[in-house]
Amino acid sequence: MFFNMSSSRDYIIDKAYELFLNKSYEGVSISDISEAVGMTKGALYHHFTNKEDLFKAVIDKYLVFPDVQVDPETITLSAFNDIVVNEIHRMLRNMFAPNVTFVPIHYITMISDALRHYPGFKEDKERYIEEKTATIRRVIENAIMRQEIRSDIDTNTMARLYLSIAMGLAGNLIIKNYSVDESITLLRMQINQLYQLLKR
């Protein structure tokens, strides 16, 4: 099997993702990864310093939270809703790759492993939540100023509610075992219902 440097690295990350997802960080050894990718340990260490380094690369590729880039000063709340749902759909398609066999609850384990074995992961996600909350709050404030939605709401609480609805996808995917498309349909319905309530 012939790979160039870049494709070898990607191949290792993809195979390690399947292993970490199904066995957890602690349950996977460098030997397991070496066997799965058909490379010697030395070849693996040529691409990654150690198991933690490889795990971080897996997390960076597959546990990427949606990064919606909008101008909160000009976008309508309605347009923002559509962009958010579409971006989350794209993210889930990447995370739940059709060629990966897994038990959905293993995603929770992987996030838990990232919190323990990826220095800075927790702080990065906390910062992400605060930044996204601030953006959503600003979009809502501008929607109020443009009279797109009602003015009698607490914008900070509403911004956090938006995030909570999006994060509720995990329950649909993992606990209820909905498909990505079913979960996205439900998310779109929830966001649209909230928007209709805000318009009244």
Side-chain angles (χ1 to χ4, degrees), residues 55-200:
F55 180 69
K56 287 165 65 177
V58 167
I59 296 301
D60 288 343
K61 180 173 181 178
Y62 284 102
L63 282 188
V64 179
F65 287 25
D67 188 21
V68 177
Q69 298 294 324
V70 297
D71 180 356
E73 305 306 320
T74 58
I75 193 166
T76 65
L77 184 56
S78 176
F80 178 77
N81 292 343
D82 288 338
I83 291 170
V84 166
V85 171
N86 290 336
E87 178 61 18
I88 291 173
H89 196 184
R90 186 201 61 73
M91 175 203 71
L92 291 177
R93 282 274 172 232
N94 181 55
M95 285 175 64
F96 291 81
N99 59 329
V100 175
T101 304
F102 67 96
V103 177
I105 195 73
H106 289 177
Y107 276 95
I108 297 297
T109 302
M110 182 170 267
I111 291 170
S112 177
D113 284 344
L115 290 169
R116 287 195 310 269
H117 300 289
Y118 190 148
F121 180 82
K122 179 178 183 285
E123 293 76 13
D124 180 59
K125 296 316 170 197
E126 286 173 347
R127 193 165 40 251
Y128 167 89
I129 288 170
E130 290 310 311
E131 287 171 0
K132 294 308 166 194
T133 300
T135 298
I136 297 167
R137 183 173 59 245
R138 192 69 192 126
V139 170
I140 292 171
E141 289 168 352
N142 283 316
I144 290 171
M145 284 193 299
R146 284 192 297 270
Q147 299 182 345
E148 180 185 0
I149 61 172
R150 294 170 13 200
S151 61
D152 61 336
I153 59 172
D154 181 311
T155 57
N156 192 53
T157 300
M158 193 56 59
R160 293 195 179 279
L161 179 58
Y162 262 80
L163 274 178
S164 295
I165 290 172
M167 290 178 179
L169 275 177
N172 294 327
L173 288 162
I174 294 165
I175 298 168
K176 294 187 177 180
N177 208 19
Y178 287 2
S179 71
V180 168
D181 288 337
E182 288 171 328
S183 296
I184 287 296
T185 297
L186 182 54
L187 173 65
R188 194 179 299 279
M189 289 169 58
Q190 291 170 328
I191 292 285
N192 287 341
Q193 183 64 48
L194 179 58
Y195 181 69
Q196 292 305 316
L197 291 171
L198 290 175
K199 283 176 65 177
R200 293 180 185 167

